Amino acid sequence: MNNIKMVVIDDSQQMKDMIAQRFNQENGFDVLEHVTDGNKAVDVVKATKPDVVLLDLVISGRDGMSVLEDIKALPSSPKVIVVTALTGDGFVCSAMQNGASYYIVKPCSSDDVERRIKAICAEQTNSTNQQQEHVNSLVSQYKNEGTISVASIRHGKSLDEKISNIFITVGIPAHIKGYQFLREAIKMAVDTPDIVNSITKKLYPNIASRFSTSASKVERAIRHAIEVAWNRGKIENINSVFGLQVYNANEKPTNGEFIALVADKMIIEGC
């Protein structure tokens, strides 16, 4: 496996020390540049084409949020992990809406940072593998039936990233099984909205078949993922995603309600 290529945009001594001590080629990382001036940050990312960028929102020379916006606007943008001392929900929501994959609050351990980096790289690899499987499936469908439905080719990187950003914002961690099942359920509901009316008979069995598991395990894993988000108490983040006061701390949606709500948001946004 190739080393993970990184660019660090941070002018703090703490981050410099962490990078020097932990993130090196022996540990599977290749730090291409450590940028301390926000004015140079985007040009460095363009030139080096890293897999991951670690970005502080408080840097010299330029506002970190504007740097994030410009990085994510690049034709082939890297994953960005925000590592900052800013803790307000407004900063978290703005960062996620502008394309950040994770938001880590300083002070943080090198273990936490490394785990997040590896998680998004693994997720990207899995997404690529799934896309290839999807292409293979479409080719097989075309050979057998002579046609490919428009719905079959709608899902791309954009939809996956939008759903993942929602999950991160509301507090659903990528390492639990329900994360993958829930994302697949939402994609299915985007293609076929009526499937939420047959969640037990169609949606769960279809996901179970794709992941070689049982429908009951899919249902439990999705329910657990939603419970994790609510137990973390990020209700303001959850409501901010949908732009209105959908839930309070004492309310928790059913699997079908949450899937339908996120899928409807994706459809409205043109995914």
Side-chain angles (χ1 to χ4, degrees), residues 28-256:
F29 297 91
D30 187 2
V31 180
L32 306 175
E33 293 280 352
H34 192 136
V35 186
T36 59
D37 184 351
N39 290 321
K40 301 177 181 177
V42 178
D43 287 338
V44 169
V45 172
K46 279 183 184 178
T48 57
K49 295 181 173 58
D51 302 310
V52 180
V53 171
L54 301 184
L55 171 66
D56 192 352
L57 296 182
V58 183
I59 51 177
S60 60
R62 189 178 173 193
D63 169 47
M65 198 70 75
S66 68
V67 172
L68 172 61
E69 292 174 3
D70 286 353
I71 290 175
K72 297 311 292 183
L74 294 175
S76 181
S77 64
K79 298 293 185 180
V80 178
I81 299 177
V82 171
V83 187
T84 185
L86 299 177
T87 59
D89 284 347
F91 293 114
V92 177
C93 290
S94 293
M96 304 313 295
Q97 289 168 359
N98 283 315
S101 294
Y102 282 108
Y103 195 104
I104 301 175
V105 177
K106 293 180 179 180
C108 56
S109 71
S110 57
D111 287 341
D112 288 339
V113 176
E114 181 175 344
R115 184 163 56 248
R116 294 306 186 189
I117 293 171
K118 289 182 175 178
I120 64 170
C121 288
E123 182 180 323
Q124 188 170 8
T125 300
N126 291 338
S127 176
T128 300
N129 292 339
Q130 289 170 4
Q131 287 176 7
Q132 185 58 53
E133 290 174 4
H134 185 57
V135 170
N136 293 341
S137 174
L138 293 180
V139 171
S140 176
Q141 179 183 335
Y142 181 77
K143 287 180 178 178
N144 293 333
E145 303 174 13
T147 60
I148 299 176
S149 67
V150 174
S152 296
I153 59 175
R154 287 180 63 187
H155 294 320
K157 183 178 178 182
S158 176
L159 179 59
D160 279 334
E161 288 190 346
K162 285 185 176 181
I163 295 173
S164 294
N165 283 340
I166 287 176
F167 288 178
I168 293 165
T169 302
V170 304
I172 300 175
H175 68 274
I176 61 176
K177 286 185 178 179
Y179 181 100
Q180 295 291 344
F181 295 163
L182 189 53
R183 183 167 65 180
E184 193 67 23
I186 292 165
K187 289 164 65 175
M188 291 172 64
V190 170
D191 265 355
T192 312
D194 287 345
I195 201 169
V196 296
N197 298 320
S198 304
I199 192 168
T200 303
K201 292 183 178 180
K202 293 182 180 180
L203 190 142
Y204 292 153
N206 284 347
I207 296 173
S209 176
R210 296 183 187 189
F211 288 89
S212 301
T213 186
S214 67
S216 61
K217 288 182 178 179
V218 170
E219 185 275 332
R220 287 197 299 271
I222 290 177
R223 185 171 69 244
H224 172 67
I226 295 171
E227 287 174 350
V228 167
W230 256 253
N231 290 339
R232 289 184 172 191
K234 296 187 176 182
I235 305 302
E236 289 184 9
N237 288 4
I238 292 165
N239 287 323
S240 73
V241 166
F242 301 106
L244 68 163
Q245 194 74 20
V246 182
Y247 297 104
N248 60 48
N250 297 319
E251 293 178 312
K252 183 171 60 181
T254 65
N255 290 2

